[in-house]
Amino acid sequence: MIPRPQPTFDANASAGGDNLGKLPEWDLSDLYPAPDAPELQKDLDWLDKACADFAKDYEGKLADLDAGGLLECIERDEAISNVAGRIMSYAGLRYHQNTTDGERAKFLSDCQEKITTMTTPLVFFTLELNRLEEDSLKAMYEANEDLARYAPVLRRIRAMKPYQLSDELEKFLHDMGVVGDAWERLFDETIAGLTFTVNGEEMGIEGTLNLLTEQDRDQREAAARELARVFGQNIRTFARVHNTAAKEKEVVDRWRGMPTPQTGRHLSNDVEPEVVEALRNAVVEAYPKLSHRYYELKRKWLGLDTMQVWDRNAPLPIEDKKVVDWDSARDIVMEAYSAFDPRMGELAEPFFSKGWIDAGVKPGKAPGAFAHPTVTNVHPYVMLNYLGKPRDVMTLAHELGHGVHQVLAADQGELLSSTPLTLAETASVFGEMLTFRKMLDKAANDAERKVLLAGKVEDMINTVVRQIAFYDFECKLHEARRGGELTPDDINALWMSVQAESLGPAFDFMDGYETFWAYIPHFVHSPFYVYAYAFGDGLVNALYAVYEENPEGFQDKYFEMLKAGGSMHHSELLAPFGLDASDPAFWDKGLSMISGLIDELEAMEG
């Protein structure tokens, strides 16, 4: 299919991102040419029949299948997952381009409802898989190596066996999924529809948050106070969304018999609770030598008695107000990727040349950034809200890392390519590290080096310290919700209970900051997702230390790890590098890299 020419957008000048050059927009025609395309209707028709045929052929019969029969069954399920994933990827990506467009929201909702209805008859599949005897499965793996390849998928499915409900209840919950999703869409549409007025200019949330990184302190304060004002006006809606989502999760968890609110996330991440607990404890214990120590340095650099929340991501006084245009950002990241290994550059290049990135800030566009893997026989898409800050370059490096990982893992097929969240951040954070090191090598003087080091430390604190504080907030929120409805003030108090602890004594907190939990999408979309960022950063810091100590042969081992996708447990993936995430000392190794960068900054003060 010939890609259609796509318009290009510059970022909103009012958001501080003019002179960026032409910013790319997605070409989604690799998925479908249009919402009313005959190809899409053909896939919906195929999916409807394939689901009905699958249920007719296999329901109540899985226990009678031999190894070849079970393999064929799994391959048919994989084909269904592929077509359903393609349709939902297209609908979701169109929606994220403009979440306030009623037609796009309706199209996404209609696709979701159709696919939920079609796939409800398939709920039996995982339930019957979980009733198979382990010895019988092992015998089939030994008899058929093609089936044995799917053992990691079946192991993860069967981890849910203790929490499985009756077939009828599982079908009911599957059908009800679209109702829970409606709360997520309410959150997305509310956030995307918010308008903020700062110094007479009206803008969306991305542009307003971007002002918190401006050199002018008055402008930062104005943005922070406006964020607090608008969040405060909408806080009842956000509290309702959080209360309902947390209650729905509590009901389902209680029926399933899950011991903690976090259990489901740990299972989907294929990580042991004690490993997450070791990570959490190591980070909290390190707050004084990481965030507390760094922000005390920053307080002195800014010449303040105490820092306010609008100073947290402020540039250093010695930092030039630098706008990085799109072509320069691309060149920086591509050079860093290619210098590590030419194969990395080759994998990244099509994202820029073939319409796989949507970069501009546009009205109604979802905030933030992501890489969507779509399906294994197409390619990933990357979404950014690019405003030309040096941090935006690091975000590009981060999301491109996800994209490269997803391309490499695609050969595993639909069921094995998907990487648990804990490992999904590996290539993205590693891509950031490569880009940072390349920029550091090119620093023209000590002042530029200091700015780069401080920026990297802040990014690491945001990824490790801040995300673990978010995780603690979520743990408290879900625990408190089990005792009854939470008022906005209740949720505000839980938020503030983790802020001073994680950020340290250098900070004071303005009135209104207690509402800043309201805009974090992960709390609504993916409860307890946030620890995966800290997991990924700690893992990459440890990996990068191995790379620096012994670079010989590292690239090949690294590519093999990415190609594995979700086909191996984290212990198997890290073993070739001599690393073990279940060892508490593993996390200290990663945290010590952050501490070492702060040591270097302190030495520059000397």
Side-chain angles (χ1 to χ4, degrees):
M1 187 175 296
I2 299 169
R4 293 171 297 144
Q6 296 288 321
T8 54
F9 291 82
D10 206 342
N12 291 346
S14 62
D18 51 350
N19 304 318
L20 297 178
K22 288 185 176 180
L23 297 180
E25 186 182 44
W26 281 328
D27 174 8
L28 298 180
S29 64
D30 288 344
L31 291 164
Y32 295 103
D36 58 355
E39 295 94 329
L40 194 148
Q41 187 57 52
K42 182 181 175 184
D43 277 357
L44 282 167
D45 293 341
W46 179 89
L47 191 64
D48 195 18
K49 184 175 187 307
C51 290
D53 289 349
F54 186 92
K56 183 180 69 177
D57 292 345
Y58 293 114
E59 188 165 13
K61 302 170 188 172
L62 250 60
D64 302 326
L65 297 176
D66 61 10
L70 184 58
L71 174 62
E72 184 185 343
C73 173
I74 290 170
E75 288 173 341
R76 283 176 62 178
D77 175 72
E78 189 164 39
I80 288 168
S81 296
N82 178 275
V83 174
R86 188 182 193 118
I87 294 166
M88 288 312 302
S89 295
Y90 178 68
L93 291 171
R94 279 188 80 244
Y95 171 72
H96 279 97
Q97 281 183 301
N98 189 351
T99 62
T100 55
D101 181 332
E103 181 276 324
R104 293 178 188 230
K106 173 178 163 51
F107 180 71
L108 173 63
S109 183
D110 287 349
C111 287
Q112 209 156 22
E113 287 184 15
K114 285 174 187 174
I115 287 175
T116 298
T117 301
M118 290 175 195
T119 55
T120 295
L122 308 189
V123 171
F124 79 90
F125 180 51
T126 54
L127 306 180
E128 290 191 30
L129 274 177
N130 286 350
R131 288 197 280 266
L132 297 179
E133 294 296 328
E134 193 64 33
D135 289 345
S136 171
L137 263 181
K138 284 180 181 174
M140 284 195 273
Y141 295 154
E142 288 170 11
N144 189 316
E145 63 180 26
D146 290 332
L147 176 65
R149 206 175 73 81
Y150 288 97
V153 178
L154 301 193
R155 177 180 60 78
R156 288 199 292 272
I157 290 171
R158 285 165 69 81
M160 276 294 291
K161 186 175 180 176
Y163 313 110
Q164 191 168 291
L165 300 173
S166 70
D167 293 14
E168 191 175 28
L169 273 175
E170 291 288 355
K171 287 181 180 178
F172 172 76
L173 287 176
H174 182 83
D175 262 354
M176 285 294 289
V178 293
V179 179
D181 291 345
W183 289 98
E184 295 177 23
R185 288 208 307 280
L186 172 63
F187 172 84
D188 290 343
E189 290 162 18
T190 302
I191 283 287
L194 295 179
T195 56
F196 305 82
T197 304
V198 183
N199 298 329
E201 287 195 62
E202 191 175 282
M203 59 192 75
I205 191 166
E206 278 292 339
T208 313
L209 289 168
N210 185 56
L211 293 178
L212 297 177
T213 63
E214 285 294 317
Q215 190 69 261
D216 184 336
R217 191 171 192 238
D218 290 341
Q219 194 170 23
R220 295 199 307 270
E221 178 178 355
R225 294 198 183 281
E226 177 66 357
L227 286 163
R229 184 187 70 81
V230 176
F231 293 157
Q233 285 182 340
N234 292 272
I235 204 66
R236 289 175 64 186
T237 300
F238 292 122
R240 170 62 47 228
V241 169
H242 282 66
N243 266 291
T244 306
K247 182 60 181 177
E248 181 188 30
K249 180 171 176 21
E250 185 271 323
V251 170
V252 174
D253 285 354
R254 175 159 39 86
W255 275 77
R256 290 196 182 283
M258 291 201 169
T260 73
Q262 300 84 7
T263 299
R265 177 61 61 202
H266 298 336
L267 286 169
S268 68
N269 281 346
D270 199 20
V271 65
E272 301 76 15
E274 55 272 20
V275 171
V276 178
E277 192 64 14
L279 162 65
R280 184 261 170 203
N281 292 342
V283 173
V284 171
E285 196 175 305
Y287 284 170
K289 69 177 183 181
L290 300 180
S291 47
H292 296 189
R293 186 161 62 114
Y294 173 74
Y295 287 128
E296 180 57 26
L297 267 178
K298 186 165 188 178
R299 182 188 67 75
K300 292 174 185 172
W301 294 334
L302 295 176
L304 300 171
D305 292 330
T306 56
M307 282 171 64
Q308 257 296 349
V309 292
W310 56 77
D311 301 313
R312 186 171 61 81
N313 289 322
L316 304 193
I318 59 171
E319 190 170 333
D320 291 332
K321 186 171 181 179
K322 187 177 179 184
V323 173
V324 185
D325 65 46
W326 178 251
D327 288 347
S328 300
R330 179 196 62 213
D331 293 347
I332 290 165
V333 176
M334 284 294 290
E335 184 184 354
Y337 274 37
S338 299
F340 171 69
D341 192 296
R343 290 172 291 178
M344 194 95 132
E346 289 165 14
L347 289 161
E349 194 278 333
F351 284 85
F352 295 100
S353 62
K354 294 189 174 179
W356 299 2
I357 300 177
D358 194 299
V361 175
K362 301 184 282 279
K365 183 176 174 181
F370 62 74
H372 191 308
T374 71
V375 286
T376 54
N377 55 350
V378 186
H379 55 75
Y381 284 90
V382 163
M383 191 193 87
L384 305 170
N385 278 276
Y386 189 82
L387 289 164
K389 294 285 178 75
R391 275 200 173 104
D392 292 337
V393 180
M394 301 307 286
T395 301
L396 170 61
H398 181 102
E399 300 304 338
L400 206 58
H402 279 307
V404 166
H405 193 174
Q406 290 157 358
V407 169
L408 283 169
D411 286 345
Q412 293 288 346
E414 219 59 56
L415 298 181
L416 283 161
S417 62
S418 181
T419 311
L421 290 176
T422 41
L423 295 166
E425 293 301 327
T426 305
S428 54
V429 180
F430 198 85
E432 276 190 76
M433 182 65 82
L434 292 173
T435 304
F436 163 69
R437 292 292 179 185
K438 180 59 67 176
M439 292 169 78
L440 197 65
D441 288 345
K442 291 187 167 189
N445 50 51
D446 283 350
E448 194 173 319
R449 183 178 180 84
K450 181 177 178 179
V451 167
L452 284 168
L453 280 169
K456 184 58 179 170
V457 168
E458 288 190 21
D459 286 343
M460 288 172 146
I461 286 172
N462 285 336
T463 304
V464 178
V465 169
R466 194 128 171 88
Q467 301 303 325
I468 289 300
F470 284 178
Y471 176 66
D472 279 355
F473 164 72
E474 283 193 277
C475 292
K476 291 181 175 189
L477 175 77
H478 284 264
E479 185 59 37
R481 182 63 183 90
R482 292 183 170 206
E485 177 89 4
L486 300 175
T487 67
D489 285 344
D490 292 334
I491 303 176
N492 292 348
L494 295 175
W495 173 255
M496 293 308 295
S497 74
V498 303
Q499 294 303 307
E501 180 191 19
S502 61
L503 296 177
F507 278 92
D508 193 12
F509 298 97
M510 68 168 190
D511 289 343
Y513 183 66
E514 67 274 7
T515 63
F516 275 47
W517 53 269
Y519 77 95
I520 311 294
H522 301 84
F523 299 158
V524 178
H525 284 280
S526 311
F528 307 109
Y529 180 112
V530 289
Y531 75 73
Y533 288 114
F535 194 109
D537 199 274
L539 188 154
V540 166
N541 290 343
L543 260 184
Y544 202 85
V546 171
Y547 174 49
E548 288 186 313
E549 289 161 12
N550 187 15
E552 186 67 33
F554 180 91
Q555 283 90 334
D556 287 339
K557 287 191 283 188
Y558 179 73
F559 275 95
E560 287 306 309
M561 178 175 70
L562 299 189
K563 286 177 184 175
S567 67
M568 297 168 75
H569 187 259
H570 64 78
S571 58
E572 299 170 285
L573 289 171
L574 292 175
F577 302 95
L579 298 170
D580 178 7
S582 66
D583 178 1
F586 171 82
W587 301 113
D588 293 332
K589 188 181 183 78
L591 294 171
S592 67
M593 178 175 279
I594 309 175
S595 189
L597 295 178
I598 301 172
D599 290 344
E600 192 172 342
L601 284 167
E602 285 182 335
M604 293 174 89
E605 296 301 289

